[in-house]
Amino acid sequence: MPRARTLDTISRYYDAFNAGDTAGMEAQLGEPFAHHVNEGKIRHGIEAFREFNKHMSRCYREQLTDMVIMANDSGTRAAAEFIVNGVYLETDDGLPEAHGQSYVLPAGAFFTLDEGKITRVVTYYNLADWIAQVS
């Protein structure tokens, strides 16, 4: 049962992501919360995650496909692998200029959960691949 609950939580998190429903993503989070982004500092707390989502929504439009979600039996750890299908909407600080470029990028994430809520997300993708696609 704990594993099934975790798989459901992660599925709801990514369903909300694909719907552009950042509040739905945030509803799956618990405190204390830590967000480890691919190329950046760790963001602590749901409010910091909310600000990150506002920024991302302004600069990128993304849909995740080919989703595979895995979880341990106790439901405390999970991982997801997926393909990011995106459009670069607005230039992000320190990155190439945005012109509405499309990109397709394999990515993954690792999760820690406590009582069915996500308390840690670690996201990985190949930044050099993304830069090559949008440059």
Side-chain angles (χ1 to χ4, degrees), residues 30-130:
E31 291 283 9
F33 176 73
H35 181 218
H36 301 244
V37 294
N38 192 63
E39 295 286 331
K41 61 184 178 177
I42 300 170
R43 290 174 175 81
H44 294 278
I46 295 172
E47 183 57 38
F49 185 71
R50 185 174 294 122
E51 291 304 314
F52 173 80
N53 283 333
K54 286 179 189 175
H55 169 81
M56 292 297 288
S57 295
R58 186 178 69 251
C59 294
Y60 310 91
R61 183 176 59 242
E62 298 178 329
Q63 286 287 300
L64 309 181
T65 59
D66 302 316
M67 180 74 58
V68 177
I69 302 170
M70 301 152 271
N72 67 349
D73 289 338
S74 65
T76 59
R77 304 287 294 276
E81 183 178 11
F82 45 87
I83 302 296
V84 180
N85 304 274
V87 178
Y88 189 27
L89 302 172
E90 183 179 308
T91 303
D92 203 345
D93 291 338
L95 296 173
E97 190 171 334
H99 300 289
Q101 305 94 310
S102 295
Y103 53 92
V104 178
L105 194 64
F110 299 97
F111 300 87
T112 301
L113 293 91
D114 184 26
E115 297 187 20
K117 293 289 189 176
I118 299 166
T119 57
R120 179 182 64 101
V121 176
V122 181
T123 305
Y124 291 103
Y125 58 89
N126 186 322
L127 181 61
D129 182 11
W130 180 85

